[in-house]
Amino acid sequence: VFVCVLVEERAEGLGVGDVDAAMDPTVAEAITVGGMEKVLSAMSEVGAKRICFTDSIGSFGAEAPRENATAKWLTENPQQDPGSDYGRQKRGCRELMDQFRREHGGDPRFAVLPGVLHSNPVWGNGTTEYALDALLAAPHQETKLGLPTGEAYVCPIDPDIAMPMVFVDDLMRGLIALQEAEPHELTEPENGYCIPGLSFTPNELFAEIRKHHPGFGFRVELDENMNKFANLWPETLNSSEPLRDLGYAPEVGLSEMVSFVLQAHEDRNSYTAEAFKAMDKDGDGILTLKDIEGHVRKRLVRGRTTSYNTGQGAMELVMNQLMSELDTNKDGLISWGTFSEWYRNNSVEQVVKRIQASSLSAP
């Protein structure tokens, strides 16, 4: 029996942990370290031995090597200052796992993750996620969908600073390899391994984006916190240990990653544009409450079984919910930019279904 503890990588202006929790170290400590204590206690009660925990480049501080950083360095330098509460909480989890090994014969492993790259529509506010923001912005700077273009991308870190990243497909292969390895195959201290991928600077990323979107524009406006961590963390992770013990080596490079992620965003934008244009009857690139209500009445709220679910009461519930989510400045107008951002993780259809489900469950 084994347990995998995958802590979502996004944080405190880091690229890694929950932003709201990181703003309150007490809450973050309770979630991260307190959560690990509970997991290990439950494992000891049922006799589970193996646990795989995701650590982060946020654990490395100013003393860490800039090139070819290793998980071993973290175990050999337990008192180094990672420069953030987030990094100290990760260290606390490693210490608890090592205690679990000594006192309960556990089989803990940990993986040090760089920034995670993917084609999903949403992510957090971490430092490494500047790359995902840039990849999302690029398709919005062209007019091929017949809708208003977005502004230049604002880069929050030094464009010549390299940071380690990994594409999600490589990440999962590395984590599975670490989880499934036999104990005798793991030779690193505390069974800790970095999961390397690719490293690049913002300028290198932007050059690759321009191969697909030649007009991609950006400007640099440094975020003090994000830029601090970009300069603090290693630029590359060592690949020899995971290759030797896990048989893992990254396969996705910068060109392939950029092409794949851009295509996913472009496909999603096309779908979103169809939804927007279906409501924007006059084609001015702006939605009004009337536009959205007409769409909902015509296409979504019809053919139901009761007047309660299709009548004016239900329509008001749907429209109030949609406008509360879309019309954030309360001017009654929804731009293409606002709609496309909202549509990354929502849809009009989903809101209607939520209201209908709530109506049906009401006494």
Side-chain angles (χ1 to χ4, degrees), residues 161-173:
I161 291 292
M163 299 184 70
M165 309 276 187
V166 64
F167 190 65
V168 65
D169 291 5
D170 282 337
L171 169 63
M172 297 312 298
R173 287 193 305 105

Side-chain angles (χ1 to χ4, degrees), residues 233-246:
W233 296 333
E235 295 185 3
T236 62
L237 302 178
N238 198 301
S239 60
S240 60
E241 296 88 356
L243 179 61
R244 180 195 65 213
D245 294 353
L246 308 178

Side-chain angles (χ1 to χ4, degrees), residues 5 19 30 49 61 107 113 128 151-152 163 182 184 188 192 200 206 227 257 261 329 331-332 343 346 361:
V5 180
V19 176
K49 299 296 184 182
D107 179 18
L113 273 56
T128 56
E151 298 180 355
M163 299 184 70
E182 294 298 328
H184 71 271
E188 289 299 293
F200 52 82
F206 301 157
N227 196 54
M257 181 278 295
V261 175
N329 64 356
D331 65 354
Y343 212 79
N346 300 277
S361 63

Side-chain angles (χ1 to χ4, degrees), residues 7-11 15-17 54-56 86 90 113-114 116 129:
V7 178
E8 192 168 359
E9 298 301 310
R10 52 180 196 182
V16 281
T54 56
D55 206 320
S56 160
Y86 176 76
K90 289 286 194 179
L113 273 56
V116 181
E129 288 161 328

Side-chain angles (χ1 to χ4, degrees), residues 271-293:
Y271 178 78
T272 303
E274 290 179 6
F276 186 87
K277 290 177 180 179
M279 290 180 274
D280 184 22
K281 295 303 183 183
D282 57 9
D284 64 353
I286 297 291
L287 298 181
T288 64
L289 186 149
K290 182 179 179 180
D291 292 329
I292 299 174
E293 183 173 347

Side-chain angles (χ1 to χ4, degrees), residues 73-331:
W73 188 91
L74 292 175
T75 65
E76 292 178 339
N77 296 271
Q79 300 306 314
Q80 64 99 24
D81 181 9
S84 69
D85 292 317
Y86 176 76
R88 286 183 280 274
Q89 291 151 14
K90 289 286 194 179
R91 180 172 62 201
C93 289
R94 294 197 306 272
E95 292 171 348
L96 287 172
M97 290 196 302
D98 196 45
Q99 179 182 348
F100 176 69
R101 175 188 62 79
R102 295 192 312 270
E103 298 180 0
H104 300 282
D107 179 18
R109 297 113 187 262
F110 72 90
V112 180
L113 273 56
V116 181
L117 302 167
H118 55 78
S119 60
N120 292 343
V122 293
W123 46 86
N125 294 319
T127 299
T128 56
E129 288 161 328
Y130 86 85
L132 296 175
D133 292 338
L135 289 161
L136 176 69
H140 284 276
Q141 293 183 12
E142 293 191 3
T143 58
K144 61 183 179 182
L145 296 176
L147 291 163
T149 59
E151 298 180 355
Y153 168 68
V154 178
C155 181
I157 67 172
D158 185 332
D160 292 314
I161 291 292
M163 299 184 70
M165 309 276 187
V166 64
F167 190 65
V168 65
D169 291 5
D170 282 337
L171 169 63
M172 297 312 298
R173 287 193 305 105
L175 288 176
I176 290 171
L178 178 57
Q179 288 173 194
E180 296 185 347
E182 294 298 328
H184 71 271
E185 296 174 325
L186 304 179
T187 63
E188 289 299 293
E190 300 180 23
N191 295 337
Y193 293 82
C194 289
I195 307 295
L198 61 162
S199 293
F200 52 82
T201 68
N203 274 331
E204 290 170 336
L205 172 65
F206 301 157
E208 193 65 35
I209 289 175
R210 283 174 172 160
K211 294 179 181 178
H212 302 265
H213 296 275
F216 174 72
F218 74 94
R219 67 180 186 274
V220 178
E221 292 182 9
L222 298 182
D223 179 287
E224 182 178 358
N225 198 43
M226 295 174 72
N227 196 54
K228 178 185 79 171
F229 288 109
N231 282 273
L232 179 68
W233 296 333
E235 295 185 3
T236 62
L237 302 178
N238 198 301
S239 60
S240 60
E241 296 88 356
L243 179 61
R244 180 195 65 213
D245 294 353
L246 308 178
Y248 165 80
E251 296 178 354
V252 179
L254 180 60
S255 178
E256 181 181 357
M257 181 278 295
V258 168
S259 179
F260 184 86
V261 175
L262 283 177
Q263 187 60 56
H265 287 322
E266 288 164 3
D267 292 344
R268 195 175 291 114
N269 282 349
S270 295
Y271 178 78
T272 303
E274 290 179 6
F276 186 87
K277 290 177 180 179
M279 290 180 274
D280 184 22
K281 295 303 183 183
D282 57 9
D284 64 353
I286 297 291
L287 298 181
T288 64
L289 186 149
K290 182 179 179 180
D291 292 329
I292 299 174
E293 183 173 347
H295 175 79
V296 173
R297 286 187 181 280
K298 181 178 179 181
R299 297 175 180 272
L300 302 177
V301 184
R302 59 179 181 177
R304 307 302 177 188
T305 57
T306 69
S307 60
Y308 182 81
N309 292 330
T310 60
Q312 187 61 33
M315 177 59 66
E316 289 178 1
L317 289 174
V318 170
M319 293 309 303
N320 288 341
Q321 184 62 38
L322 282 171
M323 295 306 287
S324 71
E325 295 181 17
L326 284 164
D327 186 20
T328 55
N329 64 356
K330 308 303 180 185
D331 65 354

